[in-house]
Amino acid sequence: MNIVLESSSLSRFSGEKIVSYGLVFFASLVIFFISQVIQFYLTTYNLTSMYVSFCAGFILFIPLVSLLLHPLLVNKEGKRETFHFSALLANIGLVCVVQLLCFLIWMTDAIALYSLYVDQDSFLAKVFEIKTQARGDMTFEFYCFNFILAWLFALLSMIVGVLPCLIARLDNYGVVGDFVAAFSFAKKHKGLMCLYALIIVSSVLLPLLYGKYLFLVLFPTTLIWIFVRLNKKYIQSSLIHK
């Protein structure tokens, strides 16, 4: 009887993992589709340089996509279940609203920066009535700024988005406690977190800008790998400090 129950539990868990992989790929496909539509219209209105800002903004959706990875969590010894898809459906709506709001705020700022420093006579500058003294073309600086900002977005997405949800599944210290634990973990492993943020940026910006179809492979693979690594690293860290 126990063998049957264990086999059933293992089969259900394996099924959840397969669904998780599929949903992450589907989410990546949706992001890719949106990126291509945006790139098409930006090219149509001669705003190609703005595309990098949208690519950087996509990183803000990582906490939302990471929710789909919770079936992959390696649990702590002594705890049985960490995930139910019903819990995901209950939280996904709220997370969607917050992530979309952050994305819209960033894009509003990106439009202002583009109009001020890249093309003062652009369509966007005229639509939003942004007036400035001519500063010359600062496209290179604009790209560098977006790459640095994308790295910060990735770092913040992990600290305030991915880690608190991961910790809530494993320990659940409460909303405030989960955020405190996430910041504490990030502080202890800041070098590792910075490296992971750089890897995420490379898996998003470089493929979308220079090899778009690679995004469909690199982004989900990278996100899954980093999520699993964070999970294992957190468990190791918590066991050491017991």
Side-chain angles (χ1 to χ4, degrees):
M1 184 65 176
N2 289 335
I3 296 175
V4 173
L5 289 174
E6 288 179 5
S7 176
S8 176
S9 177
L10 182 61
S11 176
R12 180 178 63 82
F13 182 67
S14 299
E16 287 181 349
K17 290 178 69 174
I18 292 172
V19 172
S20 177
Y21 288 128
L23 288 175
V24 170
F25 178 78
F26 177 74
S28 302
L29 194 63
V30 170
I31 293 174
F32 177 76
F33 175 76
I34 294 172
S35 73
Q36 296 310 294
V37 172
I38 290 173
Q39 186 179 38
F40 172 79
Y41 282 105
L42 288 177
T43 303
T44 301
Y45 290 102
N46 197 27
L47 298 169
T48 308
S49 298
M50 269 290 297
Y51 183 56
V52 66
S53 295
F54 281 92
C55 294
F58 291 145
I59 293 176
L60 293 170
F61 289 97
I62 283 177
L64 176 61
V65 179
S66 71
L67 291 176
L68 304 173
L69 296 173
H70 281 226
L72 307 181
L73 280 173
V74 176
N75 209 347
K76 285 187 171 183
E77 187 176 355
K79 297 191 71 174
R80 299 179 64 184
E81 292 184 312
T82 60
F83 181 83
H84 294 285
F85 273 108
S86 59
L88 169 64
L89 295 176
N91 295 323
I92 199 168
L94 178 61
V95 177
C96 275
V97 172
V98 174
Q99 296 299 127
L100 183 61
L101 182 61
C102 291
F103 181 76
L104 291 175
I105 291 172
W106 159 234
M107 289 319 306
T108 303
D109 294 338
I111 288 171
L113 290 171
Y114 177 85
S115 301
L116 286 170
Y117 297 105
V118 179
D119 189 354
Q120 293 86 12
D121 298 317
S122 68
F123 167 75
L124 291 173
K126 294 175 182 177
V127 168
F128 291 94
E129 299 181 349
I130 298 175
K131 298 178 181 179
T132 181
Q133 296 179 350
R135 300 174 184 267
D137 188 353
M138 300 181 69
T139 303
F140 176 76
E141 290 81 357
F142 183 71
Y143 269 76
C144 291
F145 172 76
N146 276 278
F147 268 85
I148 294 172
L149 203 61
W151 176 78
L152 290 174
F153 284 166
L155 192 60
L156 288 173
S157 293
M158 285 190 292
I159 296 174
V160 304
V162 177
L163 277 173
C165 293
L166 186 151
I167 293 170
R169 293 290 181 189
L170 296 176
D171 288 315
N172 193 14
Y173 298 118
V175 176
V176 176
D178 291 336
F179 276 96
V180 171
F183 276 97
S184 177
F185 175 85
K187 184 178 179 180
K188 292 174 185 174
H189 305 283
K190 47 184 174 289
L192 188 65
M193 298 295 291
C194 290
L195 176 61
Y196 285 167
L198 183 61
I199 294 173
I200 289 173
V201 170
S202 300
S203 72
V204 176
L205 264 63
L206 295 181
L208 288 178
L209 291 174
Y210 306 112
K212 57 185 181 181
Y213 293 110
L214 287 174
F215 174 82
L216 295 174
V217 177
L218 291 179
F219 175 68
T221 302
T222 300
L223 190 60
I224 290 170
W225 181 78
I226 288 177
F227 183 84
V228 172
R229 293 297 301 173
L230 284 175
N231 177 202
K232 293 181 178 179
K233 192 68 178 179
Y234 173 76
I235 291 176
Q236 290 174 1
S237 180
S238 60
L239 290 176
I240 290 173
H241 291 87
K242 273 191 174 182

